[in-house]
Amino acid sequence: MTFISNSRDFVAGKLGVAAPLVPGVIPVLSAPGIIKFTQKCGAKIPPSLRARLDELGTDDEAAAEFGIEYATRQCEELLRAGAPGLHFYTLNKSRSTVQVLRNLGLA
């Protein structure tokens, strides 16, 4: 499992998958939280994203704002690349997801 760093990674045919892929998106809520989450599930954070998370440190509000911007850009790229939909992992905290959907004009 890895973060999709751009829409080229999403192309299902490139991955040898015939079924439609619905990408899962988890907006960053806190830098330490997403780092711990990815460590537990074995996901890889791209170096550029990890560097930004390290800069944000324990400032959860700044991390959440960054997470909204990052997830919005990710979703825009995925939808342009033909993603059939988006699956959001809210972890029972929907504020960031709602804002991403608003940014996309979907809420």
Side-chain angles (χ1 to χ4, degrees), residues 23-76:
V25 178
I26 179 170
V28 172
L29 300 173
S30 80
I34 197 68
I35 291 167
K36 184 176 180 180
F37 181 88
T38 56
Q39 288 172 340
K40 284 187 173 192
C41 70
K44 304 280 187 258
I45 297 176
S48 60
L49 176 56
R50 178 58 192 256
R52 182 66 179 123
L53 294 173
D54 289 342
E55 289 172 10
L56 294 166
T58 59
D59 186 344
D60 289 351
E61 187 57 37
E65 289 305 314
F66 168 74
I68 290 167
E69 294 169 19
Y70 190 91
T72 298
R73 288 191 313 269
Q74 219 178 15
C75 292
E76 287 169 341

